[in-house]
Amino acid sequence: MIRSVLWVAFLFFATASSAFTNDSDPEFNAIFKEMQIELKKINAYYAPKIREKELRIQDISAKIYDATETASKVDFLIQKDLLKEEILFLKKEEMQDLSKIRYLKGLQIIRLLYEKVLSLDHHFASVRTFSEINKLSNPNQYPEYEKLKEIVKHRKDKKAGFDLTSILGTNTIVSIVQTFSNLMVSSLSKDEKDKEIANIECILDFTLRMQNELNTIYFETAFLQKSNDKIRTDIETLFKEYTKPIGYANTLESCRTSDDWESVKLKTNDYLANLKTQQGPQLYSSQVNIIFPIDRLLQFITQYNSFIDQGGKFYEKFKIILNSYENEKQCETKLPLEYKKLKDDIDVAINKFNIAYRPVEVNGSKMKEILYGINEFE
């Protein structure tokens, strides 16, 4: 059982070495290329030794068939059993060496993924806040509109005009209705009214058309930020579970901050060296403890990739939303600089989600092939 599980682990890395090297992060490519080289070295070391003993078993089997004396047959059978035990021992040694590579490379993957998660933290920390986006969608934040309000305030008809309470005054729609109502009954001439309206028409058109869209961008970005917080918590939990068998107690954040990766490697080496002294159920349990963390790592990679895909799609949606303002050309000189900056930020974010934050792709049939050594098309 344990050998079959170890073989699946070997298949994961043998397949992953080629599966992850297309259009993925160079650092991840380097890990998998190194892994491929190391796996080949192990195979090159053990394969001829195992093959030599298998050939000897075949030769002994032929001798058993030809032997006529019982004593000779018994002697050959003993030799054959000893060779089988030696083969099992070599395979055990080989799988332990494979486990060491797999485990250490898994740690390297966690390390790189954590850096990407921290980059995402930085990305979301720099995303515009609600108040900044609210300024874009609220005409009360524009000097031209505030100027009109002041003019209307001093030139309004005190009998026909009206004032707003402090609460209603912050409501965009109500504020605009009040301003225009007072403007219509103010002492301004028609030409003056037309001039003032012309000064703010683009601002009002932009804010009224885009208010809901800009709020959508903010709230959906806030949702992505919450999702990223969970991703960070999950990778820190993954590291804790991954290093628990080897007795490493520091958190992922602490390990990164103190650059304590060498200690993790040393504890891994000690743990694997101790396997050579174990037997029976204890050995089985110890082997399983370092075999199955890779499954949790794969699950996290799938979760992470799903989040990156989702984030990329959200930002593509944001780009469509911002480009949907139909009077952009007519109002180009009147639109706030923050609007263009927001569009540029979203273009940068799309690029990051498609390239910088995306380490590897493991999906569908490829995932089955990596996890279980199954090729659906065979």
Side-chain angles (χ1 to χ4, degrees), residues 3-44:
R3 286 198 299 275
S4 64
V5 175
L6 282 163
W7 180 244
V8 169
F10 170 77
L11 282 173
F12 160 71
F13 282 105
T15 309
S17 300
S18 58
F20 292 156
T21 53
N22 296 321
D23 301 323
S24 57
D25 189 288
E27 291 181 288
F28 279 85
N29 284 346
I31 290 176
F32 291 116
K33 285 178 181 177
E34 289 171 8
M35 188 188 312
Q36 195 172 40
I37 292 170
E38 292 176 21
L39 292 176
K40 285 181 178 179
K41 283 182 179 178
I42 291 174
N43 181 258

mmCIF file of all heavy atoms in Angstrom, residues 3-44:
data_model
loop_
_atom_site.group_PDB
_atom_site.id
_atom_site.type_symbol
_atom_site.label_atom_id
_atom_site.label_comp_id
_atom_site.label_asym_id
_atom_site.label_seq_id
_atom_site.Cartn_x
_atom_site.Cartn_y
_atom_site.Cartn_z
ATOM 1 N N ARG A 3 3.909 1.622 -0.856
ATOM 2 C CA ARG A 3 4.701 1.793 -2.072
ATOM 3 C C ARG A 3 3.846 2.354 -3.198
ATOM 4 O O ARG A 3 4.305 3.154 -4.003
ATOM 5 C CB ARG A 3 5.337 0.461 -2.487
ATOM 6 C CG ARG A 3 6.500 0.055 -1.607
ATOM 7 C CD ARG A 3 7.357 -0.992 -2.299
ATOM 8 N NE ARG A 3 6.610 -2.199 -2.590
ATOM 9 C CZ ARG A 3 6.439 -3.184 -1.719
ATOM 10 N NH1 ARG A 3 6.927 -3.083 -0.497
ATOM 11 N NH2 ARG A 3 5.767 -4.261 -2.053
ATOM 12 N N SER A 4 2.578 1.929 -3.249
ATOM 13 C CA SER A 4 1.709 2.444 -4.306
ATOM 14 C C SER A 4 1.442 3.928 -4.106
ATOM 15 O O SER A 4 1.386 4.704 -5.061
ATOM 16 C CB SER A 4 0.381 1.676 -4.336
ATOM 17 O OG SER A 4 -0.338 1.873 -3.146
ATOM 18 N N VAL A 5 1.287 4.332 -2.839
ATOM 19 C CA VAL A 5 1.073 5.752 -2.558
ATOM 20 C C VAL A 5 2.316 6.553 -2.912
ATOM 21 O O VAL A 5 2.251 7.635 -3.493
ATOM 22 C CB VAL A 5 0.707 5.955 -1.071
ATOM 23 C CG1 VAL A 5 0.607 7.439 -0.750
ATOM 24 C CG2 VAL A 5 -0.607 5.265 -0.751
ATOM 25 N N LEU A 6 3.472 6.008 -2.559
ATOM 26 C CA LEU A 6 4.720 6.684 -2.900
ATOM 27 C C LEU A 6 4.893 6.794 -4.407
ATOM 28 O O LEU A 6 5.405 7.783 -4.924
ATOM 29 C CB LEU A 6 5.903 5.919 -2.288
ATOM 30 C CG LEU A 6 6.126 6.146 -0.790
ATOM 31 C CD1 LEU A 6 7.024 5.061 -0.233
ATOM 32 C CD2 LEU A 6 6.709 7.506 -0.523
ATOM 33 N N TRP A 7 4.459 5.750 -5.112
ATOM 34 C CA TRP A 7 4.573 5.785 -6.569
ATOM 35 C C TRP A 7 3.690 6.879 -7.157
ATOM 36 O O TRP A 7 4.069 7.561 -8.098
ATOM 37 C CB TRP A 7 4.201 4.428 -7.144
ATOM 38 C CG TRP A 7 4.297 4.383 -8.642
ATOM 39 C CD1 TRP A 7 3.299 4.181 -9.525
ATOM 40 C CD2 TRP A 7 5.487 4.566 -9.430
ATOM 41 N NE1 TRP A 7 3.775 4.231 -10.811
ATOM 42 C CE2 TRP A 7 5.117 4.458 -10.782
ATOM 43 C CE3 TRP A 7 6.819 4.813 -9.112
ATOM 44 C CZ2 TRP A 7 6.024 4.585 -11.817
ATOM 45 C CZ3 TRP A 7 7.730 4.937 -10.151
ATOM 46 C CH2 TRP A 7 7.327 4.820 -11.481
ATOM 47 N N VAL A 8 2.504 7.062 -6.566
ATOM 48 C CA VAL A 8 1.637 8.163 -6.998
ATOM 49 C C VAL A 8 2.348 9.496 -6.780
ATOM 50 O O VAL A 8 2.303 10.394 -7.618
ATOM 51 C CB VAL A 8 0.295 8.141 -6.233
ATOM 52 C CG1 VAL A 8 -0.482 9.430 -6.478
ATOM 53 C CG2 VAL A 8 -0.536 6.948 -6.672
ATOM 54 N N ALA A 9 3.018 9.609 -5.625
ATOM 55 C CA ALA A 9 3.763 10.838 -5.343
ATOM 56 C C ALA A 9 4.848 11.056 -6.389
ATOM 57 O O ALA A 9 5.080 12.175 -6.846
ATOM 58 C CB ALA A 9 4.387 10.764 -3.951
ATOM 59 N N PHE A 10 5.525 9.970 -6.761
ATOM 60 C CA PHE A 10 6.548 10.083 -7.801
ATOM 61 C C PHE A 10 5.929 10.539 -9.120
ATOM 62 O O PHE A 10 6.457 11.403 -9.814
ATOM 63 C CB PHE A 10 7.250 8.740 -7.989
ATOM 64 C CG PHE A 10 8.146 8.707 -9.200
ATOM 65 C CD1 PHE A 10 9.384 9.326 -9.171
ATOM 66 C CD2 PHE A 10 7.740 8.086 -10.368
ATOM 67 C CE1 PHE A 10 10.209 9.315 -10.284
ATOM 68 C CE2 PHE A 10 8.557 8.071 -11.482
ATOM 69 C CZ PHE A 10 9.796 8.683 -11.437
ATOM 70 N N LEU A 11 4.772 9.950 -9.459
ATOM 71 C CA LEU A 11 4.094 10.328 -10.700
ATOM 72 C C LEU A 11 3.728 11.802 -10.693
ATOM 73 O O LEU A 11 3.793 12.479 -11.714
ATOM 74 C CB LEU A 11 2.821 9.486 -10.889
ATOM 75 C CG LEU A 11 3.033 8.055 -11.384
ATOM 76 C CD1 LEU A 11 1.710 7.307 -11.348
ATOM 77 C CD2 LEU A 11 3.608 8.044 -12.786
ATOM 78 N N PHE A 12 3.340 12.291 -9.509
ATOM 79 C CA PHE A 12 2.999 13.713 -9.417
ATOM 80 C C PHE A 12 4.159 14.581 -9.874
ATOM 81 O O PHE A 12 4.019 15.450 -10.717
ATOM 82 C CB PHE A 12 2.623 14.095 -7.983
ATOM 83 C CG PHE A 12 2.744 15.569 -7.732
ATOM 84 C CD1 PHE A 12 1.851 16.448 -8.309
ATOM 85 C CD2 PHE A 12 3.772 16.071 -6.955
ATOM 86 C CE1 PHE A 12 1.968 17.810 -8.109
ATOM 87 C CE2 PHE A 12 3.897 17.427 -6.751
ATOM 88 C CZ PHE A 12 2.991 18.291 -7.327
ATOM 89 N N PHE A 13 5.322 14.313 -9.327
ATOM 90 C CA PHE A 13 6.440 15.184 -9.647
ATOM 91 C C PHE A 13 7.015 14.910 -11.024
ATOM 92 O O PHE A 13 7.500 15.811 -11.688
ATOM 93 C CB PHE A 13 7.526 15.073 -8.572
ATOM 94 C CG PHE A 13 7.157 15.847 -7.360
ATOM 95 C CD1 PHE A 13 6.731 15.208 -6.224
ATOM 96 C CD2 PHE A 13 7.182 17.222 -7.377
ATOM 97 C CE1 PHE A 13 6.369 15.932 -5.113
ATOM 98 C CE2 PHE A 13 6.820 17.960 -6.271
ATOM 99 C CZ PHE A 13 6.413 17.310 -5.133
ATOM 100 N N ALA A 14 6.965 13.662 -11.447
ATOM 101 C CA ALA A 14 7.449 13.367 -12.794
ATOM 102 C C ALA A 14 6.579 14.063 -13.826
ATOM 103 O O ALA A 14 7.062 14.624 -14.806
ATOM 104 C CB ALA A 14 7.444 11.859 -13.028
ATOM 105 N N THR A 15 5.258 14.036 -13.604
ATOM 106 C CA THR A 15 4.334 14.679 -14.530
ATOM 107 C C THR A 15 4.381 16.189 -14.370
ATOM 108 O O THR A 15 4.363 16.934 -15.342
ATOM 109 C CB THR A 15 2.891 14.190 -14.264
ATOM 110 O OG1 THR A 15 2.893 12.774 -14.233
ATOM 111 C CG2 THR A 15 1.946 14.685 -15.346
ATOM 112 N N ALA A 16 4.449 16.632 -13.104
ATOM 113 C CA ALA A 16 4.423 18.071 -12.842
ATOM 114 C C ALA A 16 5.604 18.776 -13.471
ATOM 115 O O ALA A 16 5.509 19.921 -13.887
ATOM 116 C CB ALA A 16 4.422 18.328 -11.334
ATOM 117 N N SER A 17 6.730 18.078 -13.556
ATOM 118 C CA SER A 17 7.918 18.715 -14.106
ATOM 119 C C SER A 17 7.671 19.234 -15.505
ATOM 120 O O SER A 17 8.181 20.273 -15.894
ATOM 121 C CB SER A 17 9.075 17.706 -14.132
ATOM 122 O OG SER A 17 9.352 17.255 -12.841
ATOM 123 N N SER A 18 6.884 18.495 -16.289
ATOM 124 C CA SER A 18 6.570 18.959 -17.638
ATOM 125 C C SER A 18 5.280 19.751 -17.671
ATOM 126 O O SER A 18 5.127 20.673 -18.457
ATOM 127 C CB SER A 18 6.458 17.765 -18.585
ATOM 128 O OG SER A 18 5.462 16.876 -18.131
ATOM 129 N N ALA A 19 4.338 19.409 -16.772
ATOM 130 C CA ALA A 19 3.019 20.052 -16.819
ATOM 131 C C ALA A 19 3.076 21.508 -16.410
ATOM 132 O O ALA A 19 2.269 22.308 -16.848
ATOM 133 C CB ALA A 19 2.046 19.308 -15.899
ATOM 134 N N PHE A 20 4.029 21.875 -15.542
ATOM 135 C CA PHE A 20 4.043 23.220 -14.999
ATOM 136 C C PHE A 20 5.019 24.155 -15.703
ATOM 137 O O PHE A 20 5.213 25.264 -15.284
ATOM 138 C CB PHE A 20 4.427 23.179 -13.509
ATOM 139 C CG PHE A 20 3.395 22.530 -12.641
ATOM 140 C CD1 PHE A 20 3.759 21.975 -11.429
ATOM 141 C CD2 PHE A 20 2.079 22.480 -13.026
ATOM 142 C CE1 PHE A 20 2.816 21.392 -10.618
ATOM 143 C CE2 PHE A 20 1.127 21.894 -12.213
ATOM 144 C CZ PHE A 20 1.503 21.352 -11.014
ATOM 145 N N THR A 21 5.679 23.693 -16.741
ATOM 146 C CA THR A 21 6.719 24.522 -17.320
ATOM 147 C C THR A 21 6.256 25.326 -18.519
ATOM 148 O O THR A 21 7.056 25.970 -19.170
ATOM 149 C CB THR A 21 7.927 23.655 -17.733
ATOM 150 O OG1 THR A 21 7.455 22.598 -18.578
ATOM 151 C CG2 THR A 21 8.620 23.088 -16.521
ATOM 152 N N ASN A 22 4.969 25.301 -18.806
ATOM 153 C CA ASN A 22 4.460 26.068 -19.937
ATOM 154 C C ASN A 22 3.796 27.341 -19.448
ATOM 155 O O ASN A 22 2.798 27.297 -18.747
ATOM 156 C CB ASN A 22 3.454 25.225 -20.735
ATOM 157 C CG ASN A 22 4.115 24.022 -21.359
ATOM 158 O OD1 ASN A 22 5.237 24.107 -21.827
ATOM 159 N ND2 ASN A 22 3.420 22.895 -21.352
ATOM 160 N N ASP A 23 4.361 28.496 -19.825
ATOM 161 C CA ASP A 23 3.760 29.788 -19.514
ATOM 162 C C ASP A 23 3.525 29.983 -18.022
ATOM 163 O O ASP A 23 2.541 30.575 -17.620
ATOM 164 C CB ASP A 23 2.423 29.954 -20.263
ATOM 165 C CG ASP A 23 2.611 29.844 -21.759
ATOM 166 O OD1 ASP A 23 3.644 30.339 -22.239
ATOM 167 O OD2 ASP A 23 1.740 29.271 -22.427
ATOM 168 N N SER A 24 4.395 29.454 -17.188
ATOM 169 C CA SER A 24 4.235 29.654 -15.758
ATOM 170 C C SER A 24 5.426 30.424 -15.221
ATOM 171 O O SER A 24 6.341 30.791 -15.942
ATOM 172 C CB SER A 24 4.073 28.312 -15.041
ATOM 173 O OG SER A 24 5.159 27.468 -15.300
ATOM 174 N N ASP A 25 5.398 30.671 -13.932
ATOM 175 C CA ASP A 25 6.401 31.494 -13.287
ATOM 176 C C ASP A 25 7.800 30.890 -13.440
ATOM 177 O O ASP A 25 7.996 29.698 -13.203
ATOM 178 C CB ASP A 25 6.024 31.607 -11.806
ATOM 179 C CG ASP A 25 6.886 32.610 -11.087
ATOM 180 O OD1 ASP A 25 8.066 32.304 -10.865
ATOM 181 O OD2 ASP A 25 6.375 33.680 -10.741
ATOM 182 N N PRO A 26 8.809 31.703 -13.808
ATOM 183 C CA PRO A 26 10.174 31.180 -13.988
ATOM 184 C C PRO A 26 10.723 30.502 -12.743
ATOM 185 O O PRO A 26 11.450 29.509 -12.839
ATOM 186 C CB PRO A 26 10.984 32.440 -14.330
ATOM 187 C CG PRO A 26 9.993 33.387 -14.897
ATOM 188 C CD PRO A 26 8.707 33.124 -14.181
ATOM 189 N N GLU A 27 10.396 31.048 -11.560
ATOM 190 C CA GLU A 27 10.891 30.440 -10.323
ATOM 191 C C GLU A 27 10.291 29.054 -10.117
ATOM 192 O O GLU A 27 10.967 28.133 -9.659
ATOM 193 C CB GLU A 27 10.574 31.343 -9.132
ATOM 194 C CG GLU A 27 11.378 32.630 -9.121
ATOM 195 C CD GLU A 27 11.050 33.489 -7.920
ATOM 196 O OE1 GLU A 27 9.946 34.067 -7.895
ATOM 197 O OE2 GLU A 27 11.879 33.579 -7.001
ATOM 198 N N PHE A 28 9.009 28.912 -10.464
ATOM 199 C CA PHE A 28 8.384 27.597 -10.369
ATOM 200 C C PHE A 28 8.988 26.652 -11.405
ATOM 201 O O PHE A 28 9.231 25.481 -11.125
ATOM 202 C CB PHE A 28 6.871 27.706 -10.570
ATOM 203 C CG PHE A 28 6.140 28.145 -9.342
ATOM 204 C CD1 PHE A 28 6.010 29.490 -9.043
ATOM 205 C CD2 PHE A 28 5.598 27.225 -8.468
ATOM 206 C CE1 PHE A 28 5.351 29.907 -7.906
ATOM 207 C CE2 PHE A 28 4.939 27.630 -7.327
ATOM 208 C CZ PHE A 28 4.808 28.976 -7.041
ATOM 209 N N ASN A 29 9.230 27.168 -12.595
ATOM 210 C CA ASN A 29 9.869 26.344 -13.623
ATOM 211 C C ASN A 29 11.209 25.814 -13.132
ATOM 212 O O ASN A 29 11.556 24.650 -13.353
ATOM 213 C CB ASN A 29 10.080 27.166 -14.898
ATOM 214 C CG ASN A 29 8.799 27.356 -15.682
ATOM 215 O OD1 ASN A 29 7.804 26.684 -15.429
ATOM 216 N ND2 ASN A 29 8.815 28.272 -16.623
ATOM 217 N N ALA A 30 11.964 26.685 -12.462
ATOM 218 C CA ALA A 30 13.280 26.279 -11.959
ATOM 219 C C ALA A 30 13.151 25.150 -10.947
ATOM 220 O O ALA A 30 13.937 24.190 -10.963
ATOM 221 C CB ALA A 30 13.986 27.481 -11.332
ATOM 222 N N ILE A 31 12.154 25.252 -10.065
ATOM 223 C CA ILE A 31 11.936 24.200 -9.062
ATOM 224 C C ILE A 31 11.659 22.871 -9.739
ATOM 225 O O ILE A 31 12.241 21.834 -9.390
ATOM 226 C CB ILE A 31 10.768 24.572 -8.123
ATOM 227 C CG1 ILE A 31 11.170 25.733 -7.213
ATOM 228 C CG2 ILE A 31 10.348 23.367 -7.276
ATOM 229 C CD1 ILE A 31 10.048 26.223 -6.325
ATOM 230 N N PHE A 32 10.762 22.885 -10.723
ATOM 231 C CA PHE A 32 10.371 21.631 -11.356
ATOM 232 C C PHE A 32 11.478 21.058 -12.238
ATOM 233 O O PHE A 32 11.612 19.842 -12.354
ATOM 234 C CB PHE A 32 9.081 21.832 -12.145
ATOM 235 C CG PHE A 32 7.898 22.075 -11.260
ATOM 236 C CD1 PHE A 32 7.208 23.276 -11.302
ATOM 237 C CD2 PHE A 32 7.482 21.112 -10.351
ATOM 238 C CE1 PHE A 32 6.130 23.505 -10.471
ATOM 239 C CE2 PHE A 32 6.405 21.337 -9.510
ATOM 240 C CZ PHE A 32 5.729 22.534 -9.569
ATOM 241 N N LYS A 33 12.280 21.921 -12.825
ATOM 242 C CA LYS A 33 13.414 21.423 -13.606
ATOM 243 C C LYS A 33 14.453 20.774 -12.690
ATOM 244 O O LYS A 33 15.016 19.723 -13.011
ATOM 245 C CB LYS A 33 14.035 22.566 -14.409
ATOM 246 C CG LYS A 33 13.200 22.975 -15.620
ATOM 247 C CD LYS A 33 13.821 24.148 -16.363
ATOM 248 C CE LYS A 33 12.950 24.544 -17.557
ATOM 249 N NZ LYS A 33 13.490 25.727 -18.268
ATOM 250 N N GLU A 34 14.715 21.428 -11.559
ATOM 251 C CA GLU A 34 15.628 20.840 -10.574
ATOM 252 C C GLU A 34 15.097 19.492 -10.094
ATOM 253 O O GLU A 34 15.847 18.516 -9.951
ATOM 254 C CB GLU A 34 15.779 21.780 -9.374
ATOM 255 C CG GLU A 34 16.569 23.045 -9.656
ATOM 256 C CD GLU A 34 16.490 24.027 -8.499
ATOM 257 O OE1 GLU A 34 15.939 23.642 -7.436
ATOM 258 O OE2 GLU A 34 16.960 25.170 -8.650
ATOM 259 N N MET A 35 13.793 19.460 -9.848
ATOM 260 C CA MET A 35 13.166 18.232 -9.385
ATOM 261 C C MET A 35 13.320 17.112 -10.409
ATOM 262 O O MET A 35 13.640 15.965 -10.071
ATOM 263 C CB MET A 35 11.679 18.499 -9.131
ATOM 264 C CG MET A 35 10.941 17.364 -8.468
ATOM 265 S SD MET A 35 9.172 17.700 -8.431
ATOM 266 C CE MET A 35 9.123 19.370 -7.829
ATOM 267 N N GLN A 36 13.113 17.459 -11.665
ATOM 268 C CA GLN A 36 13.220 16.469 -12.730
ATOM 269 C C GLN A 36 14.630 15.884 -12.783
ATOM 270 O O GLN A 36 14.810 14.669 -12.914
ATOM 271 C CB GLN A 36 12.870 17.128 -14.064
ATOM 272 C CG GLN A 36 12.584 16.150 -15.185
ATOM 273 C CD GLN A 36 12.052 16.849 -16.415
ATOM 274 O OE1 GLN A 36 12.527 17.927 -16.771
ATOM 275 N NE2 GLN A 36 11.075 16.258 -17.066
ATOM 276 N N ILE A 37 15.624 16.743 -12.652
ATOM 277 C CA ILE A 37 17.018 16.287 -12.670
ATOM 278 C C ILE A 37 17.295 15.357 -11.494
ATOM 279 O O ILE A 37 17.908 14.293 -11.643
ATOM 280 C CB ILE A 37 17.974 17.501 -12.640
ATOM 281 C CG1 ILE A 37 17.879 18.279 -13.956
ATOM 282 C CG2 ILE A 37 19.409 17.055 -12.391
ATOM 283 C CD1 ILE A 37 18.594 19.621 -13.936
ATOM 284 N N GLU A 38 16.823 15.753 -10.308
ATOM 285 C CA GLU A 38 17.078 14.952 -9.110
ATOM 286 C C GLU A 38 16.359 13.607 -9.167
ATOM 287 O O GLU A 38 16.900 12.581 -8.739
ATOM 288 C CB GLU A 38 16.667 15.745 -7.868
ATOM 289 C CG GLU A 38 17.567 16.954 -7.619
ATOM 290 C CD GLU A 38 17.102 17.797 -6.448
ATOM 291 O OE1 GLU A 38 16.354 17.276 -5.608
ATOM 292 O OE2 GLU A 38 17.486 18.975 -6.378
ATOM 293 N N LEU A 39 15.138 13.610 -9.691
ATOM 294 C CA LEU A 39 14.400 12.351 -9.820
ATOM 295 C C LEU A 39 15.103 11.401 -10.788
ATOM 296 O O LEU A 39 15.171 10.190 -10.553
ATOM 297 C CB LEU A 39 12.971 12.624 -10.297
ATOM 298 C CG LEU A 39 12.042 13.342 -9.319
ATOM 299 C CD1 LEU A 39 10.694 13.615 -9.975
ATOM 300 C CD2 LEU A 39 11.843 12.539 -8.045
ATOM 301 N N LYS A 40 15.617 11.956 -11.865
ATOM 302 C CA LYS A 40 16.331 11.125 -12.840
ATOM 303 C C LYS A 40 17.605 10.544 -12.237
ATOM 304 O O LYS A 40 17.974 9.399 -12.521
ATOM 305 C CB LYS A 40 16.657 11.952 -14.086
ATOM 306 C CG LYS A 40 15.453 12.215 -14.978
ATOM 307 C CD LYS A 40 15.837 13.020 -16.210
ATOM 308 C CE LYS A 40 14.631 13.236 -17.119
ATOM 309 N NZ LYS A 40 14.977 14.046 -18.315
ATOM 310 N N LYS A 41 18.272 11.328 -11.406
ATOM 311 C CA LYS A 41 19.486 10.835 -10.745
ATOM 312 C C LYS A 41 19.164 9.649 -9.838
ATOM 313 O O LYS A 41 19.892 8.654 -9.806
ATOM 314 C CB LYS A 41 20.128 11.960 -9.922
ATOM 315 C CG LYS A 41 20.897 12.976 -10.748
ATOM 316 C CD LYS A 41 21.541 14.010 -9.836
ATOM 317 C CE LYS A 41 22.334 15.034 -10.636
ATOM 318 N NZ LYS A 41 22.936 16.075 -9.750
ATOM 319 N N ILE A 42 18.068 9.787 -9.094
ATOM 320 C CA ILE A 42 17.670 8.695 -8.194
ATOM 321 C C ILE A 42 17.329 7.450 -8.997
ATOM 322 O O ILE A 42 17.751 6.335 -8.673
ATOM 323 C CB ILE A 42 16.475 9.127 -7.321
ATOM 324 C CG1 ILE A 42 16.922 10.189 -6.324
ATOM 325 C CG2 ILE A 42 15.864 7.933 -6.587
ATOM 326 C CD1 ILE A 42 15.797 10.792 -5.524
ATOM 327 N N ASN A 43 16.562 7.651 -10.055
ATOM 328 C CA ASN A 43 16.189 6.510 -10.899
ATOM 329 C C ASN A 43 17.422 5.866 -11.520
ATOM 330 O O ASN A 43 17.529 4.628 -11.583
ATOM 331 C CB ASN A 43 15.224 6.978 -11.989
ATOM 332 C CG ASN A 43 14.772 5.842 -12.880
ATOM 333 O OD1 ASN A 43 15.254 5.692 -13.996
ATOM 334 N ND2 ASN A 43 13.846 5.030 -12.387
ATOM 335 N N ALA A 44 18.367 6.697 -11.957
ATOM 336 C CA ALA A 44 19.591 6.173 -12.575
ATOM 337 C C ALA A 44 20.441 5.398 -11.570
ATOM 338 O O ALA A 44 21.179 4.474 -11.944
ATOM 339 C CB ALA A 44 20.401 7.322 -13.168
#
